[in-house]
Amino acid sequence: MKRPLGAQISHALKERGVDVIFGIPGVHNQEMYRGIEEAGITHVLARNEQGAGFMADGYARASGKPGVAYVITGPGLCNIMTPMGQAYSDSVPMLVFSSCLDEAQAQRGQLHQMKDQRAAADCVADWSCQANTAQAAYGLIERAFEEFELSRPRTKHIQVPIAQLEAEADPAPFPNQPALHNKCLPPDVAPIMSLLNIAKRPLFILGGGARSNLWRQILTQLGAACFTTYAGRGMAGVGYALDFGAMLPRPSSSEMIASADLVIAVGTELAEVDLWRTDLGHSANLIRVDLDPEVLSDRHRAAVKLQADGESFARALLAAADQVQPATGWSPEEVAQARARWRAEVDAERPGIVPVIDALRAAMPVDTMIYSDMTQFAYVAKEIWDMAHPYHWHHPTGFGTLGYAMPAGVGGAVARRGKPTAVIVGDSGFQYTLPELGTAVELRLPLPIILWDNGKLKEIEDSMVRSQIAPNAVVARNPDFGKLAEAYGARSAAPENLDELQTAVRDAFDAPAPTLIRVTPDISG
């Protein structure tokens, strides 16, 4: 039956599998809220549109489904643009709906007015489009979900004029049959198998786009070593003897890569935030496998390129792997020695954090999904904390925004009710999106929030000192975080040693509310 278009949009999203929407209602977008409950969708109320966007991001990473957010014209869209940029850079499927003014050029002084909000959002999204009719809105929804499925997932933005949201509209057409994937097949990997057949020291670099649970089996069968990017951690599981881990940023990792006689990079940009250097370091043939043509044509100049998704490539590779004798050029001893050396480097660069991480890891279930913020504690953990499962550690890697972890962890916990989810955040980053603690309390989420409180922007201070700059503006007065958490209705803990930390974390997973666990550098003695 006919309904206002704002209500029909929620029904159209429900038909495409959307169960949760994050956002904040306002007078401009209230018509989008008319159909949410009617469609059977849960709405999660954020405290700021930035929080809503990060929640949608966290939900998408945990569920594998697009994260959806509703925001108002102007400031609402501006507030969510940081999460939109983060989701774009980290290949997260996020769909943002906003209202917009019916006419923004001939009349000035309107509520929430921007000169060109569609263009502003386009700077941090895959695309940003205005739907001036119901048919256009439905078509853009169809396009967004098709692209989420078939191409590199990134942020999409659809804005609808207020008058159109209020106007009666027919229901959206039933979702079209999705396009079939162009899957990678065993014949497609024949050139790669020929190179693997003569390689003695093949090396895989597995990124977030590798997306398969077959890699441990593939690596074992081929006798190959591997690195992972931060986003690819867990692809090889724990304990694979030829796994160098997420140590690509270690400067001397380039020497190990140079010793390989074949390098295969799957689902990774090999970007600055993956390597923290200009060159990968390879001297042998480089093979790139990726969905994105821009990645395949980048500065690393691969000798063999294959446009494919990680899952179908892994299946094709495994199907053909019996044609290759396992390589014998790598030894577990050299991998173990390299990892031990790099772990010592990490410990020396940021002293005192490694023991805390080891204790924290021992206290968490192996299937815990972790959301971390831009903080020294997370920088250390991302290198030395081996993940048993892929896609269980999420970090704002590309855009690199502070304030990500708290709301993203809420979104992740919503997506995986009954499964362990945790947040790691610094004292400064936590205060960017602290009010979203209220949302976590409302939802009664058993969410441990490990707050690394060193009382300053320590990473920036260290960088300034290295650059011989007086460390200005790196110390801020912190609140009593425990009292602040309790004021929201959350629990709090302030462990004084590592045993107390482990107890606090275990208790937090069983609590009927989030628990803020304040940890200072003094905890490791």
Side-chain angles (χ1 to χ4, degrees), residues 383-425:
E383 293 195 79
I384 69 166
W385 188 321
D386 287 335
M387 301 300 295
H389 305 286
Y391 307 116
H392 274 58
W393 190 299
H394 305 293
H395 187 79
T397 301
F399 213 35
T401 176
L402 283 159
Y404 169 81
M406 176 68 231
V410 170
V414 168
R416 43 190 277 120
R417 289 270 192 178
K419 298 179 181 179
T421 304
V423 167
I424 294 175
V425 64

Side-chain angles (χ1 to χ4, degrees), residues 77-116:
L77 183 63
C78 285
N79 286 341
I80 203 172
M81 282 174 62
T82 297
M84 289 171 67
Q86 189 63 64
Y88 175 88
S89 66
D90 285 354
S91 302
V92 177
M94 182 192 294
L95 179 57
V96 175
F97 278 89
S98 75
S99 53
C100 67
L101 297 175
D102 301 317
E103 200 290 312
Q105 301 305 318
Q107 181 182 348
R108 297 297 179 193
Q110 301 177 76
L111 178 66
H112 300 330
Q113 186 165 21
M114 291 176 67
K115 291 171 67 176
D116 192 342

Side-chain angles (χ1 to χ4, degrees), residues 70-220:
Y70 281 178
V71 299
I72 61 163
T73 317
L77 183 63
C78 285
N79 286 341
I80 203 172
M81 282 174 62
T82 297
M84 289 171 67
Q86 189 63 64
Y88 175 88
S89 66
D90 285 354
S91 302
V92 177
M94 182 192 294
L95 179 57
V96 175
F97 278 89
S98 75
S99 53
C100 67
L101 297 175
D102 301 317
E103 200 290 312
Q105 301 305 318
Q107 181 182 348
R108 297 297 179 193
Q110 301 177 76
L111 178 66
H112 300 330
Q113 186 165 21
M114 291 176 67
K115 291 171 67 176
D116 192 342
Q117 72 168 40
R118 185 214 60 78
D122 199 44
C123 296
V124 288
D126 189 19
W127 48 257
S128 172
C129 295
Q130 179 166 323
N132 290 321
T133 65
Q135 290 70 31
Y138 302 150
L140 289 170
I141 292 171
E142 190 80 28
R143 174 186 169 190
F145 279 82
E146 195 84 15
E147 291 180 6
F148 286 145
E149 188 68 23
L150 295 177
S151 58
R152 185 175 182 176
R154 281 178 151 165
T155 312
K156 326 285 185 184
H157 168 239
I158 301 172
Q159 65 180 34
V160 185
I162 299 166
Q164 285 298 319
L165 290 172
E166 296 170 347
E168 293 287 300
D170 290 321
F174 194 74
N176 196 12
Q177 179 68 28
L180 297 175
H181 284 276
N182 184 15
K183 297 289 188 182
C184 182
L185 299 173
D188 299 324
V189 301
I192 298 173
M193 302 312 298
S194 296
L195 292 169
L196 279 168
N197 208 31
I198 58 174
K200 301 300 182 186
R201 289 170 65 90
L203 176 68
F204 282 77
I205 300 176
L206 304 176
R211 291 198 172 273
S212 177
N213 59 5
L214 299 175
W215 286 111
R216 178 66 166 262
Q217 187 178 352
I218 292 168
L219 294 167
T220 302

Side-chain angles (χ1 to χ4, degrees), residues 6-54:
Q8 299 287 27
I9 287 172
S10 293
H11 285 271
L13 293 172
K14 179 65 174 179
E15 289 175 348
R16 286 157 179 81
V18 174
D19 297 317
V20 181
I21 291 172
F22 303 88
I24 300 177
V27 292
H28 278 191
N29 73 342
Q30 64 187 15
E31 283 297 338
M32 293 194 292
Y33 281 75
R34 185 186 295 275
I36 291 179
E37 290 187 10
E38 185 182 69
I41 295 175
T42 298
H43 182 270
V44 175
L45 176 63
R47 299 310 193 257
N48 181 285
E49 289 87 358
Q50 185 180 72
F54 286 140

